[in-house]
Amino acid sequence: MSEHTLYDTVWENHKVTELPNGQDQLFVGLHLIHEVTSPQAFAMLEEREHEVAFPDRNFATTDHIAPTEAEKRERPLSDGESEEMLSALERNVGEHGITYFGFESGKQGITHVVAPELGLTQPGMTVACGDSHTATHGAFGSIGVGVGTSQIRDILATGCIAADKQQVRHIEVEGTLGEGVYAKDIILKIIQKLGVDGGVGHVYEYGGPAIRELEMEGRLAVCNMSIEGGARAGYINPDETTYEYLRGREYVPEGEAFEQRKEYWESIKSGEDAVYDDVVTIDVDGMDPLVTWGINPGQVIELSEPVPAPEDFGARTDREAAERALEHMELEPGQSMLGYNVDVAFLGTCTNGRVSDFEVAAEVLEDRQISNDVRALAVPGSETVREQCEQRGLDEVFIEAGFQWRRAGCSMCLAMNDDSLEGNEVCASSSNRNFIGRQGSKGGRTVLMSPAMVAAAAVEGEVTDARRFLSDDARTVSPTDVEEVAD
Amino acid sequence: MSEDQHITEVAGTGVPIPGDDIDTDQILPARFMKEVTFDNMAEYLFYDARRDDDGGERSDGSRASSDDESDGEFNDHPLNRFEGASIAVVNTNFGCGSSREHAPQAMMRWGVDGVVGESFAEIFADNCKSLGIPAITAGHEDVVALQEWIEANPDGEVEIDVEKETVTYGETVIHGEVDDAMQEALVDGIWDTTALMYSNLSKVERTAAELPYIEAA
């Protein structure tokens, strides 16, 4: 078992007691609520005549069903089911005295974008939300876990979850990212190497020089996709980058109180004497941008690699999965993903819907037009992100290039609002899941990639190496390089 | 849900749901989560996978839009062929992806009382525990043999014994594994964690008060 890691320390600090079933009762320091997974939990709470135990530790916003077209955000929402969900959320948080960031607040957005930018997420906290991407919050050195609706009921009623402590795997990311290669590529590489279920039973601790170099928004993208690797939580030890990001944010104390809080943040870091259950090293020197070729996030390659053949995989189950993926994506082994036709470009989500993501995409789009055949959406992760982008004039870059500039929400990541793939459209997406049907159409095909790569795909109408739009001297890959490798 | 409900064994006919890494978006597509209760979830279980598009043209690349809610005829998906089954038999990393409890809720409401699998995604397994659905893991060959047996014996009974950690069908007994916490919870009837943890509320308050980031009330 691990010892002296951040995970061990934060767990001990939040452990209330051991339960008769052998699990630990763990206090949840920050609980985030949205409209899709909470109404049933509030109903169960009321059935039992319980109050919310720690209303001050709960914060709510609306994201999954949020319309992203300004005129569609008028109430009542034109979609009856969405209106019912939103009204239920508003009623529940109102009755229980929970702070709510609704459309009118100017702070609405995806839970995992809103909480970090407001300073709600801080190092050494336990964070839970009825959403698997709660792992995101680990970027601050907190332990974020996605929970189901019954567990939301537990948190509302008791401020706690019943949980089993997991093993800790340290992932040391060595090397330096090349130009046009990003945090998204790091996490895709990790999932390529360790698989979509490699993290089951583990928490991932990300460290090493390539992680230390990342700004907070990049760290959030890495931790966000821990769950795509099967790890329910993933975290990065806090450092000066973390503290500087937090300073001055709305929910972060100032002055002497900040310094005191920082002492706690420093105290929870993995020690020099930390013991891990497992250590994995990944080198990102010379790594090219990654794109998925299949129907789970582990089916991913660098641009310089060809689409694999089923027989390239050792395990029978991986071979079968590759066959299904090739059929759904209409790809042949040995092909390059470069040149793969794209119908839709989608920028946003809890993975890559932050200001720096739109900045890098705008760098690609500046003075360029998207392909006439591409439908392109830029959806800020929060209204705060939207406002900051607009202050920098980024919205104009997107609009002039031919993108639709939208309001905040989860949007086409899972298509619970009106933003959806149709038929068998191919989407170049900065989101996190390429599962069949995920983007709203069961024939739809998703290619996951970084925001720069999405913007470049929108311009070309096909998957292309974004680096050639970013710099004259950056390394780039062409389809012939790849297919020669395959031959 | 009652808090003193002991679940030591579940039994009934089986339904094989083959495939690794079956994610919760397949089990319960997101567009059907726009309801404030779980009441109708059974209807949406594996909604897309269970239906052919118009004219059943799934294999030739012509795919109907999912906006079209007249989404085509039932195909030969196992859930269509094994209606009335109680024990689902699945492969590795079942229930990965989204944390939506809608997925096991839909399975439970469709009739699933227990799941046998090679492995489960963590949040999915947690959700099964919350709902009192035993999830037992067994080796690849045992699981595949069981799936084949169910195909050949659609009316045959499959029994999961939570206490003994076995799955019994025909003359065969598989020795599997039930997560310790799930086993204790189901067998001792303490899988309703709200009541359990609520009784410790004063301890919770003490733990919270010691955390530097919790402001004194």
Side-chain angles (χ1 to χ4, degrees):
Chain A
M1 280 304 277
S2 64
E3 286 172 35
H4 310 299
T5 69
L6 179 145
Y7 181 68
D8 291 283
T9 307
V10 174
W11 189 280
E12 280 313 308
N13 289 348
H14 291 79
K15 180 176 166 177
V16 173
T17 187
E18 192 178 322
L19 295 168
N21 68 6
Q23 291 189 297
D24 284 344
Q25 179 169 349
L26 209 61
F27 180 68
V28 173
L30 175 65
H31 179 221
L32 304 171
I33 296 169
H34 63 83
E35 72 284 1
V36 176
T37 54
S38 69
Q40 307 86 347
F42 278 107
M44 292 188 266
L45 192 74
E46 275 152 28
E47 216 171 274
R48 296 168 189 225
E49 299 179 355
H50 278 314
E51 295 296 319
V52 173
F54 297 88
D56 293 352
R57 302 314 305 163
N58 290 263
F59 294 85
T61 186
T62 174
D63 50 14
H64 285 65
I65 56 109
T68 59
E69 289 160 280
E71 62 279 10
K72 289 194 181 165
R73 288 156 82 100
E74 300 283 324
R75 303 291 297 276
L77 299 176
S78 56
D79 177 69
E81 288 175 319
S82 299
E83 175 56 37
E84 192 185 355
M85 302 200 83
L86 193 50
S87 306
L89 177 69
E90 289 166 343
R91 190 176 60 248
N92 287 327
V93 296
E95 279 173 9
H96 294 281
I98 292 169
T99 303
Y100 170 60
F101 306 116
F103 293 149
E104 305 295 314
S105 69
K107 298 173 189 171
Q108 172 268 337
I110 307 172
T111 53
H112 315 308
V113 176
V114 171
E117 74 192 359
L118 294 180
L120 284 167
T121 309
Q122 295 174 16
M125 281 184 174
T126 44
V127 184
C129 175
D131 189 287
S132 60
H133 289 111
T134 312
T136 310
H137 304 270
F140 290 85
S142 66
I143 301 302
V145 290
V147 296
T149 294
S150 297
Q151 291 174 304
I152 298 175
R153 174 198 64 205
D154 288 350
I155 299 167
L156 293 172
T158 73
C160 296
I161 51 171
D164 292 302
K165 203 168 168 198
Q166 308 292 355
Q167 298 199 315
V168 184
R169 172 178 293 148
H170 178 83
I171 301 177
E172 180 78 2
V173 186
E174 291 182 341
T176 310
L177 290 178
E179 186 164 12
V181 188
Y182 304 96
K184 179 70 161 282
D185 299 302
I186 296 181
I187 187 64
L188 287 173
K189 188 74 195 176
I190 290 171
I191 299 167
Q192 182 195 40
K193 186 154 178 180
L194 303 179
V196 290
D197 60 354
V200 173
H202 289 84
V203 166
Y204 283 172
E205 176 182 288
Y206 306 100
I211 297 292
R212 290 279 140 243
E213 281 296 308
L214 294 176
E215 294 296 330
M216 283 312 295
E217 296 193 349
R219 296 181 186 188
L220 286 158
V222 170
C223 292
N224 172 272
M225 288 187 69
S226 301
I227 185 70
E228 271 62 58
R232 197 169 181 176
Y235 67 88
I236 295 169
N237 280 291
D239 58 15
E240 286 304 321
T241 303
T242 321
Y243 311 143
E244 284 317 303
Y245 177 94
L246 285 164
R247 206 183 284 278
R249 295 199 180 252
E250 186 175 341
Y251 284 89
V252 178
E254 292 174 2
E256 186 53 30
F258 182 91
E259 298 308 319
Q260 280 174 11
R261 197 67 68 87
K262 192 172 151 183
E263 279 174 33
Y264 171 64
W265 299 340
E266 282 283 299
S267 75
I268 50 102
K269 289 161 72 162
S270 294
E272 303 265 325
D273 55 348
V275 178
Y276 299 98
D277 298 287
D278 189 22
V279 176
V280 173
T281 301
I282 286 182
D283 191 343
V284 296
D285 260 339
M287 183 175 80
D288 291 309
L290 283 92
V291 292
T292 55
W293 56 271
I295 50 175
N296 74 47
Q299 292 173 325
V300 63
I301 47 177
E302 292 184 38
L303 289 181
S304 47
E305 295 174 292
V307 170
E311 51 272 26
D312 296 343
F313 296 92
R316 181 191 55 83
T317 54
D318 288 339
R319 288 197 295 275
E320 287 170 4
E323 277 166 19
R324 283 197 304 277
L326 292 171
E327 189 193 334
H328 183 78
M329 299 300 288
E330 297 177 19
L331 280 165
E332 297 292 335
Q335 227 178 309
S336 167
M337 280 305 287
L338 291 161
Y340 188 68
N341 183 67
V342 164
D343 306 298
V344 178
F346 173 54
L347 272 174
T349 78
C350 58
T351 314
N352 282 131
R354 301 184 177 83
V355 175
S356 59
D357 298 314
F358 292 100
E359 274 175 341
V360 70
E363 210 181 315
V364 170
L365 294 172
E366 186 92 59
D367 300 324
R368 291 195 175 91
Q369 288 290 310
I370 65 166
S371 160
N372 285 335
D373 303 328
V374 171
R375 179 159 65 97
L377 262 63
V379 185
S382 72
E383 286 294 286
T384 308
V385 169
R386 182 178 67 84
E387 205 179 287
Q388 288 173 358
C389 288
E390 290 180 3
Q391 279 164 5
R392 294 167 202 211
L394 299 181
D395 55 327
E396 287 169 26
V397 177
F398 284 99
I399 292 164
E400 279 166 22
F403 264 78
Q404 300 174 42
W405 180 252
R406 295 289 188 89
R407 306 294 290 267
C410 298
S411 182
M412 208 190 276
C413 180
L414 81 171
M416 284 193 71
N417 67 353
D418 289 343
D419 309 333
S420 172
L421 291 187
E422 285 168 26
N424 65 353
E425 281 180 330
V426 174
C427 182
S429 182
S430 71
S431 59
N432 42 55
R433 288 187 177 139
N434 50 344
F435 299 148
I436 292 177
R438 171 73 180 184
Q439 292 193 284
S441 165
K442 72 176 179 184
R445 292 168 286 170
T446 302
V447 184
L448 301 176
M449 56 183 80
S450 74
M453 287 286 294
V454 171
V459 170
E460 291 294 310
E462 58 184 43
V463 176
T464 190
D465 191 335
R467 293 175 295 187
R468 64 197 177 87
F469 294 146
L470 289 167
S471 152
D472 291 335
D473 357 293
R475 170 189 154 79
T476 56
V477 185
S478 72
T480 47
D481 299 334
V482 180
E483 277 150 15
E484 276 164 21
V485 171
D487 295 338
Chain B
M1 282 196 287
S2 138
E3 46 192 272
D4 53 13
Q5 196 177 335
H6 301 261
I7 297 173
T8 51
E9 54 204 33
V10 289
T13 59
V15 51
I17 308 176
D20 292 331
D21 305 315
I22 292 182
D23 56 81
T24 51
D25 276 277
Q26 289 181 56
I27 300 172
L28 201 290
R31 64 187 189 279
F32 299 115
M33 291 197 292
K34 281 162 68 172
E35 295 187 13
V36 295
T37 71
F38 291 126
D39 297 349
N40 302 323
M41 289 300 133
E43 268 179 60
Y44 311 134
L45 181 63
F46 282 102
Y47 191 92
D48 289 336
R50 287 170 74 184
R51 285 165 178 79
D52 279 341
D53 293 330
D54 297 333
E57 297 172 327
R58 275 196 97 193
S59 52
D60 69 359
S62 73
R63 296 167 168 101
S65 162
S66 61
D67 293 346
D68 174 10
E69 293 292 358
S70 66
D71 267 353
E73 300 291 314
F74 274 143
N75 57 22
D76 65 350
H77 189 277
L79 288 175
N80 298 332
R81 292 187 289 121
F82 294 86
E83 211 164 332
S86 312
I87 307 295
V89 185
V90 304
N91 301 96
T92 65
N93 200 26
F94 185 80
C96 62
S98 160
S99 62
R100 62 190 69 158
E101 189 173 305
H102 300 68
Q105 283 275 359
M107 291 173 67
M108 181 177 80
R109 286 161 196 270
W110 183 86
V112 171
D113 295 326
V115 194
V116 184
E118 292 178 53
S119 65
F120 300 99
E122 268 170 50
I123 304 178
F124 182 85
D126 253 10
N127 285 334
C128 285
K129 179 154 61 65
S130 297
L131 298 177
I133 303 172
I136 181 166
T137 55
H140 172 69
E141 276 160 30
D142 285 338
V143 169
V144 171
L146 173 55
Q147 288 176 325
E148 285 166 1
W149 184 83
I150 295 169
E151 283 286 350
N153 300 275
D155 299 321
E157 180 161 287
V158 181
E159 183 187 284
I160 300 174
D161 188 316
V162 180
E163 227 168 346
K164 294 186 191 142
E165 302 182 68
T166 56
V167 182
T168 307
Y169 62 98
E171 301 296 306
T172 309
V173 180
I174 300 174
H175 291 276
E177 211 173 303
V178 179
D179 169 76
D180 289 348
M182 176 180 273
Q183 188 184 33
E184 297 268 343
L186 296 177
V187 173
D188 296 342
I190 48 169
W191 43 277
D192 177 348
T193 41
T194 298
L196 192 63
M197 295 198 292
Y198 192 75
S199 63
N200 297 326
L201 207 53
S202 55
K203 279 187 196 164
V204 179
E205 278 158 4
R206 284 201 295 278
T207 303
E210 282 179 23
L211 290 165
Y213 65 87
I214 305 285
E215 312 279 338

